[in-house]
Amino acid sequence: MRYLPLSDADRSAMLETIGVAHVDDLFRDVPQEARLDGPIAKLPSHATELEVERHLSALARKNVPAGEVPFFLGCGAYKHPVPASVDHLIQRGEFLTAYTPYQPEIAQGTLQVLFEFQSQVARLMGCEVANASMYDGSTACWEAIGMARRITRKSKTLISSGLHPHYVSVCNTMAKFTGDTLETAVPTLTTETDIDDLIGRIDDETSAVVVQYPDILGRVADLSGLAQAAQAKGALLIAVVTEPVALGLLKSPGEMGADIVVGEGQSIGVGLNFGGPYVGLFACREKHIRQMPGRIAGETIDADGRRGFVLTLSTREQHIRREKATSNICTNAGLCALAFSIHMTLLGEKGLRQLAELNHARAVELSQRLAAIPGVELVNDLFFNEFTLKLPVEARPAVHRMVEKNVLGGVSLGRLYPGEAALANGLVVAVTETATDKDMDALVEALTEAVK
Amino acid sequence: MTINQSGWKPTTPIASATDTGTVTGNRALMLEEALIFEIGDTDRTGVDIAPASADTGRLGTLLRSAPIGLPGLTEPETVRHYTRLSRQNYAIDLGLFPLGSCTMKHNPRLNEKVARLPGFADIHPLAPKETVKGAIELINELAFWLVDLTGMHGVAMSPKAGAHGELCGLLCIRAALEARGDARQVVLVPESAHGTNPATAAFCGYRVENIPATAAGRVDLEALKARLGPDVAAVMITNPNTCGLFEPDMKAISDAVHAAGAFVYCDGANFNAIVGKVRPGDLGVDAMHINLHKTFSTPHGGGGPGSGPVVLSEALAPFGPLPFTARYADGSVKLIEEEEAGEEHPHTFGRMTAFHGQMGMFTRALSYILSHGADGLKQVAEDAVLNANYILRSLEDVLDAPFAFSGPCMHEALFSDKGFADGISTLDLAKALIDEGYHPMTMYFPLVVHGAMLVEPTETESKAALDQFIMALRSVAERCRAGDESLKSAPVHAPRRRLDETLAARKPVVAWKEPVPAAAEAPTPSEVGDR
């Protein structure tokens, strides 16, 4: 019981102070029939550090880490190396084991980091303000739709077919219970995105248009026309970024007129982690700040006139507004925001641009090599570090055949869109700076075999 | 573009020499730190990235032309910046963190070590399932223990935090009601519930009605029974509740709710007080989230991440969200996603997050559960409750304890500001505790008590640590009763004095802006003459 500091002598002394004979007397409000007398049925007794580590290591060894094989998976989670100093710094106990900064005088470290994080995210997204992080990109996307509803007082949302299908699922789940109408569609394996179609469907009832940039197939398109069309009808444009590294090279959604930009920040500073913990990014126009969900750090002064930071605008939040709150979020992904912010500081504008250039160059090179495989077509015209191939066979079994060659060769659209026959041959390939020449050779060879 | 236009100097004062008596604003080991925007530059970087060909042909007209304005620092500057900032934080590694209902306990470093194994930290959520068998097994193993410890039927692992778990539980309830064609519209929430409870219920389209607390700090069973009816979908109860008390009528409440055709949601934020002692399933709970970060110790990281799996009764389990893990009779484990949902999990209400949930927290929670085992977890609950009652009894002569007459508290002790001198508030006590080297307790919550102070020591504090905290709190409480005016200016020893929160909300500055350069001063006549 290495984590429990009380000795039996301590316990006896404390029970005496309290004035009861046995610790079970402190549980006397629990009805007798609900108390567990014996040990919990199946759980063994406490294990040593060595035993636990052995057990978990054995489970870990049954998995194939991305870093150990040629690896080309993306679709909302990306493999980028995180500088060693990031993990070192987030493991400092004063960051790692601190609570939400409700007592600002002794939480300036966390609060200044959150202020810096907000400033970085706002600039990256091309917006004026950002919050201090959310759970992940998919839930941030839903929160953005709710925010648009509060601003426009309308509840019909057009969702681009290029939005990650899991993000669409999250929004559909919630919309069933809030009365929002979501118009969704599945993508087609074409070069063109559905922006023109979306523009044509915006009407006076439309609260928001949601579009992903780059989209689930890796396509990028100019959002300015869509932003203007939405705003002309009193609707908002919500842009979703799942690969923020792209913004090192691409114009930001905010620059193109998006009103709310949300994103998944996992790419910068946070590992793949089998899907979590990740970090949701949320930025918007300053005029909408009071409708923005989640925590916000703000600058102020202390009693001596010195600069300091506090959590602010909390009257929007659940602990004050209860059922009238803008969101029910309580926890945020503070530690992942810290990791994002440190990694972004290490990159700086120069490093981010270089990283983006390297990603793009590797992707362009690989796309050309893969498109040269007989029967394989490149769907995209424009892309950043991820593109879609149309295979001559179903992609799903092809992915498994590549696994047999020890290559993790991409995400099949069949897995993301079960039942959509028109997408079954689609394979989404992500190429980051981790892909070596040998990795690319291995993928070309494995895919050539897999589509035969 | 240069961000760092003013050299290393901050764009607004962080400190002045008169406060500290030093030129830098530093005070020995207490170091001031400017913002990255004030010390960094857009052309400085802390990474070396391999050169790439400048082929941007696949970006079309979308190639960025304007700069972003992101400051960079080299690695040594980065390490120093964040290390200095970290030193301005209170943390559980530094001392007792007595936040009631937030549960800040020691975070074992073994958990950090195993969560970082590449086999868990470096696997992709859409990796082919044959390459992530160990991860699926881990999720299922943890799921198994959560069900076992709570006496429930199934568990939804994907919710990302406690409040997200509440949402999951209510969505399960709503889906179950709709499956039987029952469109109930009201959720009852007792006054002492977490603020997230009513927010969650409203967020999924329910009308929220409060249920009063009794004078003894419990749910008013008669008021609850009187309100139950065919329009009530669920009752959201926190047990142990936010007054720190166990709800002894829990079974009667559940029976009444079930008889009325509704479901019982239990906020499991305080499960650490009863783990290994009581199984919520035996009390008739239909859904309960478990804050893995509280009960099974994940570091809170200045606000999260958390993780909020939801255990479900037999009636609700079929409606749980995707992805879902299930163990089959032959011992095999399966992760069910959309593709298999129809045949394996046909009644699911859908997905509530992009991927499988907080794998990093699952690893830590399993490590913690196995480290403690059945005997240790029972001891966790007993020591948490023992420590809280020790604090309650040791301070009730100097601090009003409004429900001490109701019986033992569970894992947290509730005090009020009754007896303080006029003009002295709970806030003053809290800020004075900072000068004593402690993070204050939870303040002004629960709302049912005036000037509430909710103290939760947790099970990872020694008796010596508790005795020192009690001594400090006793001394500050006595000053509050005596009306010591100096409390108003506390804290004086923290990195900052009291911060102006009103100013921050009235004129929000939430992102750094480049300072407007001062207009170049016109040369004075004498300077002109000197030329």
Side-chain angles (χ1 to χ4, degrees):
Chain A
M1 312 257 184
R2 56 195 177 275
Y3 304 145
L4 299 176
L6 295 183
S7 67
D8 283 341
D10 293 332
R11 293 183 181 115
S12 301
M14 292 163 73
L15 287 170
E16 197 170 322
T17 301
I18 296 165
V20 296
H22 190 272
V23 72
D24 273 336
D25 295 335
L26 300 175
F27 288 84
R28 62 175 179 260
D29 286 337
V30 179
Q32 194 62 46
E33 65 272 19
R35 284 194 227 173
L36 286 174
D37 286 333
I40 304 158
K42 302 184 188 76
L43 190 61
S45 285
H46 62 280
T48 64
E49 183 153 343
L50 180 63
E51 288 167 331
V52 175
E53 191 177 345
R54 276 186 182 151
H55 177 67
L56 287 163
S57 299
L59 288 175
R61 278 196 302 274
K62 294 183 183 179
N63 304 320
V64 179
E68 291 183 8
V69 290
F71 181 88
F72 299 93
L73 273 60
C75 289
Y78 300 88
K79 170 72 179 158
H80 296 286
V82 178
S85 48
V86 174
D87 197 44
H88 169 79
L89 288 166
I90 71 167
Q91 286 206 70
R92 280 192 65 90
E94 304 94 322
F95 281 134
L96 186 75
T97 74
Y99 192 66
T100 305
Y102 287 143
Q103 297 288 342
E105 297 85 358
I106 46 172
Q108 286 299 299
T110 291
L111 285 159
Q112 181 169 333
V113 166
L114 293 180
F115 182 84
E116 293 176 343
F117 169 81
Q118 289 168 189
S119 308
Q120 288 171 319
V121 171
R123 285 170 178 237
L124 187 67
M125 299 305 200
C127 295
E128 286 128 20
V129 297
N131 75 9
S133 85
M134 314 198 84
Y135 304 144
D136 71 353
S138 65
T139 53
C141 178
W142 167 253
E143 295 279 353
I145 292 172
M147 177 168 158
R149 182 193 338 115
R150 291 192 297 277
I151 292 169
T152 63
R153 299 177 185 277
K154 297 187 278 193
S155 60
K156 189 177 94 177
T157 300
L158 305 181
I159 295 187
S160 160
S161 63
L163 180 63
H164 195 300
H166 290 176
Y167 285 41
V168 176
S169 298
V170 170
C171 296
N172 273 330
T173 293
M174 291 307 304
K176 272 186 277 180
F177 302 101
T178 58
D180 287 74
T181 307
L182 305 185
E183 292 189 9
T184 63
V186 295
T188 50
L189 286 182
T190 56
T191 299
E192 295 301 314
T193 65
D194 60 356
I195 290 209
D196 290 339
D197 173 57
L198 288 168
I199 289 174
R201 284 160 55 210
I202 299 169
D203 61 24
D204 292 334
E205 304 305 309
T206 308
S207 165
V209 184
V210 184
V211 60
Q212 186 175 318
Y213 174 87
D215 78 359
I216 186 68
L217 302 186
R219 300 172 300 195
V220 281
D222 193 333
L223 305 180
S224 1
L226 184 58
Q228 283 165 15
Q231 285 145 10
K233 294 272 187 189
L236 303 185
L237 177 64
I238 298 169
V240 179
V241 178
T242 63
E243 173 48 300
V245 172
L247 301 182
L249 268 185
L250 292 171
K251 278 181 197 164
S252 68
E255 281 176 82
M256 292 187 279
D259 299 278
I260 304 172
V261 188
V262 295
E264 173 51 69
Q266 172 273 330
S267 264
I268 298 175
V270 184
L272 289 169
N273 290 315
F274 201 44
Y278 284 0
V279 52
L281 312 178
F282 199 114
C284 69
R285 302 278 160 225
E286 192 157 24
K287 64 181 174 185
H288 298 316
I289 190 170
R290 285 170 203 274
Q291 290 300 333
M292 182 162 65
R295 294 192 176 123
I296 304 173
E299 186 181 316
T300 188
I301 54 169
D302 78 350
D304 289 336
R306 294 188 293 175
R307 177 171 76 186
F309 302 92
V310 294
L311 290 181
T312 192
L313 302 177
S314 57
T315 47
R316 307 159 298 117
E317 290 187 71
Q318 35 74 25
H319 59 277
I320 295 183
R321 294 268 285 172
R322 293 171 74 88
E323 62 266 32
K324 295 197 165 52
T326 52
S327 152
N328 78 325
I329 285 187
C330 184
T331 289
N332 70 334
L335 195 72
C336 299
L338 171 68
F340 179 101
S341 195
I342 298 171
H343 192 180
M344 190 61 95
T345 300
L346 282 164
L347 288 167
E349 179 137 359
K350 183 181 177 186
L352 181 67
R353 185 177 179 98
Q354 288 174 335
L355 181 63
E357 282 170 352
L358 182 55
N359 272 254
H360 187 60
R362 299 304 274 169
V364 170
E365 184 188 341
L366 184 62
S367 70
Q368 288 160 355
R369 292 185 64 187
L370 294 173
I373 296 173
V376 174
E377 286 171 50
L378 175 63
V379 170
N380 302 55
D381 177 19
L382 302 181
F383 60 88
F384 170 62
N385 69 353
E386 190 169 25
F387 51 82
T388 300
L389 300 174
K390 190 171 176 186
L391 307 184
V393 296
E394 279 195 22
R396 198 141 203 203
V399 165
H400 295 289
R401 284 199 288 277
M402 288 193 279
V403 170
E404 286 163 18
K405 304 258 179 199
N406 234 7
V407 172
L408 293 179
V411 177
S412 68
L413 289 177
R415 178 161 180 187
L416 290 176
Y417 298 92
E420 294 291 337
L423 295 171
N425 290 17
L427 179 71
V428 184
V429 178
V431 195
T432 68
E433 72 278 19
T434 60
T436 63
D437 290 343
K438 269 175 76 178
D439 291 341
M440 292 199 202
D441 293 344
L443 176 61
V444 171
E445 191 185 325
L447 188 63
T448 306
E449 284 295 312
V451 299
K452 270 183 186 164
Chain B
M1 177 185 165
T2 301
I3 289 170
N4 178 18
Q5 292 176 328
S6 49
W8 59 271
K9 285 183 205 153
T11 42
T12 50
I14 48 178
S16 68
T18 50
D19 299 325
T20 57
T22 58
V23 180
T24 52
N26 298 338
R27 190 159 27 183
L29 281 171
M30 208 59 245
L31 304 171
E32 292 292 334
E33 185 63 11
L35 293 162
I36 49 173
F37 294 87
E38 295 157 348
I39 54 177
D41 265 311
T42 49
D43 58 359
R44 211 180 321 173
T45 182
V47 294
D48 286 324
I49 290 166
S53 66
D55 179 1
T56 51
R58 292 292 194 164
L59 300 174
T61 58
L62 296 169
L63 183 64
R64 174 183 283 287
S65 52
I68 311 173
L70 292 169
L73 293 172
T74 58
E75 181 171 318
E77 294 169 302
T78 303
V79 169
R80 196 169 279 169
H81 175 71
Y82 289 98
T83 302
R84 285 179 169 200
L85 285 183
S86 74
R87 289 157 49 90
Q88 297 180 22
N89 269 0
Y90 193 92
I92 190 72
D93 281 2
L94 288 166
L96 189 91
F97 221 124
L99 280 168
S101 104
C102 298
T103 314
M104 291 291 283
K105 63 168 79 167
H106 171 66
N107 299 120
R109 289 315 194 269
L110 170 62
N111 299 356
E112 297 306 304
K113 187 177 179 186
V114 293
R116 284 170 169 79
L117 291 170
F120 299 131
D122 191 28
I123 53 173
H124 192 282
L126 296 169
K129 288 180 191 170
E130 64 266 37
T131 68
V132 290
K133 284 180 185 162
I136 295 170
E137 209 175 304
L138 183 143
I139 292 174
N140 207 73
E141 185 174 339
L142 175 63
F144 182 82
W145 295 130
L146 295 181
V147 166
D148 194 43
L149 289 167
T150 54
M152 302 290 280
H153 186 78
V155 57
M157 296 297 287
S158 64
K160 300 225 134 197
H164 204 217
E166 291 173 23
L167 202 52
C168 174
L170 281 195
L171 294 185
C172 287
I173 288 169
R174 185 141 182 176
L177 287 168
E178 283 178 2
R180 68 181 197 215
D182 200 345
R184 294 169 178 238
Q185 290 302 318
V186 176
V187 167
L188 305 180
V189 184
E191 272 180 340
S192 61
H194 278 139
T196 46
N197 290 176
T200 301
F203 212 57
C204 27
Y206 283 112
R207 200 166 76 239
V208 179
E209 289 184 25
N210 287 331
I211 296 294
T214 63
R218 265 80 180 231
V219 175
D220 188 330
L221 179 61
E222 293 315 311
L224 177 72
K225 279 183 176 167
R227 181 56 193 86
L228 285 170
D231 58 339
V232 175
V235 179
M236 294 182 87
I237 293 197
T238 304
N239 194 20
N241 71 23
T242 49
C243 297
L245 304 171
F246 193 84
E247 295 285 355
D249 295 330
M250 190 67 202
K251 190 73 175 67
I253 291 171
S254 300
D255 290 345
V257 171
H258 291 155
F263 291 97
V264 178
Y265 186 87
C266 183
D267 184 318
N270 302 330
F271 186 54
N272 64 319
I274 55 171
V275 61
K277 302 285 286 184
V278 184
R279 301 193 312 168
D282 298 339
L283 296 168
V285 168
D286 292 292
M288 180 180 92
H289 72 266
I290 302 170
N291 301 67
L292 292 185
H293 47 295
K294 294 182 179 183
T295 299
F296 303 118
S297 81
T298 295
H300 209 66
S307 180
V310 178
V311 287
L312 298 165
S313 63
E314 198 165 359
L316 293 184
F319 301 96
L322 295 170
F324 201 83
T325 62
R327 187 191 289 269
Y328 290 79
D330 64 356
S332 66
V333 171
K334 192 164 182 182
L335 182 70
I336 302 165
E337 295 183 286
E338 271 88 346
E339 54 196 327
E340 306 99 348
E343 51 186 287
E344 306 273 359
H345 194 48
H347 303 296
T348 175
F349 71 68
R351 190 175 270 271
M352 52 188 314
T353 176
F355 301 118
H356 314 311
Q358 306 286 63
M359 183 67 189
M361 277 75 245
F362 299 162
T363 315
R364 290 171 175 89
L366 183 61
S367 168
Y368 188 85
I369 288 173
L370 297 177
S371 295
H372 275 295
D375 51 339
L377 287 177
K378 189 173 174 205
Q379 194 70 54
V380 161
E382 290 180 356
D383 285 359
V385 172
L386 179 64
N387 281 355
N389 280 281
Y390 184 65
I391 284 181
L392 183 69
R393 283 289 169 259
S394 302
L395 287 165
E396 62 185 347
D397 59 325
V398 287
L399 278 174
D400 174 59
F403 298 121
F405 71 92
S406 301
C409 63
M410 297 305 284
H411 59 300
E412 55 195 2
L414 179 61
F415 300 104
S416 85
D417 63 356
K418 198 169 155 191
F420 285 12
D422 281 351
I424 305 287
S425 67
T426 293
L427 183 74
D428 299 322
L429 177 145
K431 299 303 182 190
L433 261 187
I434 289 176
D435 279 334
E436 295 291 342
Y438 287 104
H439 193 286
M441 64 284 278
T442 296
M443 302 185 306
Y444 302 116
F445 180 83
L447 304 175
V448 287
V449 170
H450 190 270
M453 289 168 260
L454 196 53
V455 181
E456 178 169 0
T458 82
E459 70 278 6
T460 60
E461 296 303 330
S462 68
K463 181 169 179 293
L466 294 179
D467 285 337
Q468 196 193 33
F469 174 70
I470 288 165
M471 183 183 72
L473 187 48
R474 168 175 290 280
S475 147
V476 175
E478 281 168 352
R479 287 167 63 199
C480 290
R481 298 174 82 87
D484 180 350
E485 282 297 316
S486 70
L487 289 164
K488 292 272 168 209
S489 50
V492 295
H493 300 309
R496 286 291 178 275
R497 304 285 297 280
R498 278 190 211 187
L499 287 145
D500 189 343
E501 301 196 23
T502 312
L503 173 70
R506 209 175 55 231
K507 292 184 180 168
V509 178
V510 305
W512 186 82
K513 290 194 180 82
E514 280 174 69
V516 182
E521 284 179 41
T524 61
S526 68
E527 282 171 341
V528 175
D530 284 345
R531 286 176 196 160

